[in-house]
Amino acid sequence: MISVELIGIQVDPISGAAAVVLREHDAPNRLLPIMVGQADASSIAIAASGNRVPRPMTHDLMASLVDALDGHLDAVEVTELHDGAFLANLTLSGPAGQRRIDTRPSDAIALAVRLQAPLFVSEAVLDEAGAVPIDEHETDQPGLDAAIDAEVDQFRAFLDELDPVDFIDTTATETTAVDATSDDAPVDDAAGADEPADETSDDAPVDDTRGDADPTPDDHG
């Protein structure tokens, strides 16, 4: 497994499609974009910025459960790219020992930023879907490093200015699913859905983009 870090979240202003961008720690510093749902992108960005929403989101609840059960999130691993969908694992340890849990990358990353867990991607996934950042004006390694650092600084500045109220549509209970027929980057696995994906289908699994609805007026808890 290769160590990576979250360096950005990109949202298409027209379609609303979102992608998280992971970067390999060591040279050649390959970038890995993963398409996720809008709600998951919001959840990841809010946690990465250190902001909080008035009521806990689903990923906040997941992190609280890990802590309450004396668990520890040891690592998040993006393990495979299967039929256009990324697969991931959570490695958890606790009183009952260590467990590996199958999950969507978006949920895994959202939990990792809340619990300060390390992120890893398999070498096979990076070989297949990773891209080396290239600046047409910078072909030497120091120049590439400077360009990458500038992108990371820009993302961190965005997180510093992030207002959760602006990032989350408080009137929405559901977000629009990403078009599975798009030629964009591979999508997040839909392992979190209630029904398993039909393996005989010609369509690649898409990310489950059901968002975290804000509490209704009846939610007093």
Side-chain angles (χ1 to χ4, degrees), residues 76-167:
V76 162
E77 301 172 346
V78 180
T79 57
E80 297 180 50
L81 178 56
H82 181 68
D83 291 337
F86 289 102
L87 310 180
N89 282 327
L90 297 174
T91 300
L92 293 160
S93 59
Q98 191 174 79
R99 296 286 187 273
R100 289 171 64 87
I101 301 174
D102 183 30
T103 181
R104 301 183 306 162
S106 58
D107 290 328
I109 295 169
L111 195 57
V113 294
R114 285 166 168 80
L115 296 175
Q116 293 77 52
L119 300 170
F120 298 92
V121 176
S122 73
E123 187 169 1
V125 169
L126 279 173
D127 287 343
E128 183 174 354
V132 177
I134 297 177
D135 188 324
E136 60 181 1
H137 302 295
E138 297 287 357
T139 56
D140 60 300
Q141 188 60 45
L144 291 176
D145 291 341
I148 293 170
D149 290 340
E151 290 292 332
V152 174
D153 290 341
Q154 184 178 1
F155 174 56
R156 288 172 177 164
F158 161 74
L159 293 178
D160 290 340
E161 298 174 0
L162 180 66
D163 186 340
V165 175
D166 295 334
F167 208 88

Side-chain angles (χ1 to χ4, degrees), residues 4-221:
V4 299
E5 62 180 334
L6 173 68
I7 66 162
I9 299 174
Q10 298 178 343
V11 180
D12 188 308
I14 298 176
S15 68
V20 296
V21 182
L22 305 179
R23 184 188 72 172
E24 185 178 14
H25 270 296
D26 299 324
N29 303 117
R30 287 169 291 184
L31 302 177
L32 181 69
I34 300 176
M35 300 296 292
V36 300
Q38 293 174 339
D40 293 321
S42 299
S43 177
I44 292 168
I46 290 170
S49 70
N51 288 320
R52 289 183 173 274
V53 292
R55 301 289 298 144
M57 303 174 73
T58 299
H59 297 122
D60 298 324
L61 176 60
M62 292 169 62
S64 295
L65 286 172
V66 172
D67 288 336
L69 297 174
D70 296 324
H72 183 267
L73 181 59
D74 299 323
V76 162
E77 301 172 346
V78 180
T79 57
E80 297 180 50
L81 178 56
H82 181 68
D83 291 337
F86 289 102
L87 310 180
N89 282 327
L90 297 174
T91 300
L92 293 160
S93 59
Q98 191 174 79
R99 296 286 187 273
R100 289 171 64 87
I101 301 174
D102 183 30
T103 181
R104 301 183 306 162
S106 58
D107 290 328
I109 295 169
L111 195 57
V113 294
R114 285 166 168 80
L115 296 175
Q116 293 77 52
L119 300 170
F120 298 92
V121 176
S122 73
E123 187 169 1
V125 169
L126 279 173
D127 287 343
E128 183 174 354
V132 177
I134 297 177
D135 188 324
E136 60 181 1
H137 302 295
E138 297 287 357
T139 56
D140 60 300
Q141 188 60 45
L144 291 176
D145 291 341
I148 293 170
D149 290 340
E151 290 292 332
V152 174
D153 290 341
Q154 184 178 1
F155 174 56
R156 288 172 177 164
F158 161 74
L159 293 178
D160 290 340
E161 298 174 0
L162 180 66
D163 186 340
V165 175
D166 295 334
F167 208 88
I168 298 179
D169 181 0
T170 57
T171 65
T173 58
E174 186 173 283
T175 58
T176 304
V178 177
D179 182 4
T181 62
S182 171
D183 292 330
D184 291 333
V187 297
D188 189 11
D189 174 40
D194 293 332
E195 295 293 334
D198 181 3
E199 295 182 357
T200 63
S201 171
D202 292 330
D203 293 330
V206 298
D207 187 14
D208 181 0
T209 56
R210 290 174 292 179
D212 287 275
D214 284 342
T216 64
D218 295 332
D219 183 3
H220 300 295

